[in-house]
Amino acid sequence: MSDVRILGTGAYVPDRVVSNDEAAAAAGVDDAWVVSKTAIRERRWAADGEATSDLAAAAARAALESAGITADQLSVIVVATSTPDRPQPPTASYVQQKLGASGAAVFDVNAVCSGLVFALSAAEGVLARRGGHALVIGADLYSRILNPEDRRTVILFGDGAGAVVLSAEGHDEARGGGVRRGARIRHIALHSFGDCSDLIEVTGGGSRVPLDQEGLEAGLQYFTMDGRGVRSFVADNVPQLVKEFLHEAGVVPDEIRHFVPHQANGVMLDSLFADLGLPRATMHWTLAEYANTGAASVPITLDAAARAGAFSPGDLILLAGFGGGMAAGFALLEW
């Protein structure tokens, strides 16, 4: 069992609400089609002046307030994102600056939609050596990389950020010291499937295909996804990986009370949840109002459930991220 505990959670979404009809206008589909295919009803898109670090910092402030600590108490900040402010420096550097967390070591993690769980594992490792507190943020701003004419992708994504504050056991200074609250991390598992890396891509903008005018005209700056391939990947891999994960963690499926998955697609999640065989679990959703927010979707949904009072002491919570890479990450929390 981990010696690291989640002390607080936070989330932020932009003010602009975008309906299905608005998001899908150039793609030639309407609200009814989007709802039937995805269960998404609206999403939030960032304002012109907002970047990923702005969303991340806002979620971080909410999480720090929830945990009862200040930014100068942080040992490490990890930002999970696949839509950074810039290729360099890491988006976490901008978050550090915005928060005034001068004493923290900071870095980014890119595991696309599994990023929050991968970042949790990285931060847990740092705290095991260094102690203190960590801020882990999942933040993505997909509206900037969506092709408005691609109905397979433009309808799916929103912008947002979610954050958690971690504390190493024995180093907890929150709420006056000695307080054990939130959720203990009991187990984490990470999986990567590079042979499937072409299922989700942004082709241009890196060292392989630098963007030039020709590339921009060809749309290489846009996010692309093989939806059928992604659904097959999830159906073929995630249920078995969850079964193995629970076995490794020493729990049986009916002990899980809450399932907080990546908010990929509501229709796909219904099918996945049925295949997981978690008879006493509640699956938590935020996708109807926020859509798929990439690495932010798991922490946004965790924060929403926590603030709604959904969790009781002793409840076991399964976090599941899956997506580009391809990758999958799972975390077992005990509230």
Side-chain angles (χ1 to χ4, degrees):
M1 184 177 293
S2 171
D3 289 332
V4 173
R5 178 179 291 270
I6 294 175
L7 292 185
T9 64
Y12 173 81
V13 293
D15 293 333
R16 180 187 172 193
V17 179
V18 178
S19 69
N20 284 336
D21 285 331
E22 180 182 355
V29 295
D30 60 13
D31 175 76
W33 188 90
V34 176
V35 172
S36 69
K37 297 293 185 180
T38 69
I40 295 168
R41 297 189 176 276
E42 61 186 32
R43 72 281 294 137
R44 304 294 183 92
W45 283 355
D48 288 345
E50 284 185 303
T52 297
S53 66
D54 298 314
L55 278 56
R61 294 186 187 101
L64 289 169
E65 181 179 2
S66 171
I69 71 167
T70 56
D72 59 5
Q73 293 175 267
L74 294 171
S75 299
V76 61
I77 299 172
V78 187
V79 175
T81 185
S82 56
T83 58
D85 282 25
R86 297 184 172 97
Q88 295 184 37
T91 299
S93 296
Y94 297 119
V95 174
Q96 179 188 38
Q97 181 185 50
K98 293 174 190 296
L99 298 179
S102 59
V106 308
F107 58 95
D108 288 358
V109 166
N110 182 358
V112 196
C113 295
S114 304
L116 190 280
V117 180
F118 278 68
L120 277 178
S121 183
E124 183 186 37
V126 173
L127 290 186
R129 176 178 295 274
R130 187 169 179 173
H133 304 294
L135 176 63
V136 178
I137 307 167
D140 271 311
L141 205 159
Y142 271 88
S143 62
R144 302 280 163 76
I145 58 171
L146 296 176
N147 181 346
E149 298 179 355
D150 182 3
R151 70 181 189 178
R152 298 167 298 180
T153 57
V154 71
I155 63 169
L156 287 175
F157 291 92
D159 303 331
V164 299
V165 174
L166 307 182
S167 180
E169 194 89 336
H171 298 273
D172 187 358
E173 300 168 8
R175 307 281 186 194
V179 179
R180 298 292 177 257
R181 52 194 298 276
R184 185 185 301 278
I185 300 174
R186 285 186 48 165
H187 191 54
I188 293 178
L190 310 176
H191 305 274
S192 298
F193 302 82
D195 290 346
C196 301
S197 60
D198 60 346
L199 293 178
I200 295 175
E201 292 182 319
V202 177
T203 302
S207 60
R208 177 70 62 189
V209 184
L211 272 179
D212 53 19
Q213 188 58 39
E214 183 179 353
L216 290 170
E217 292 173 359
L220 301 185
Q221 73 276 27
Y222 291 134
F223 174 94
T224 64
M225 180 175 66
D226 176 349
R228 189 182 302 273
V230 170
R231 288 192 295 273
S232 294
F233 170 85
V234 172
D236 293 345
N237 290 282
V238 174
Q240 182 60 33
L241 291 174
V242 167
K243 180 180 179 180
E244 294 170 1
F245 173 78
L246 296 180
H247 178 74
E248 292 169 2
V251 300
V252 295
D254 64 3
E255 292 181 89
I256 302 299
R257 293 300 180 91
H258 303 276
F259 179 52
V260 180
H262 167 53
Q263 306 287 295
N265 174 309
V267 175
M268 184 176 73
L269 286 181
D270 270 340
S271 177
L272 172 63
F273 191 50
D275 290 342
L276 290 181
L278 304 175
R280 301 179 66 192
T282 297
M283 180 167 63
H284 295 275
W285 291 49
T286 54
L287 68 86
E289 56 185 333
Y290 299 142
N292 180 341
T293 53
S297 74
V298 168
I300 285 175
T301 307
L302 179 66
D303 177 68
R307 291 178 186 271
F311 306 139
S312 299
D315 281 357
L316 294 184
I317 305 163
L318 174 62
L319 309 184
F322 41 86
M326 295 295 282
F330 308 99
L332 181 65
L333 310 180
E334 181 178 351
W335 198 252

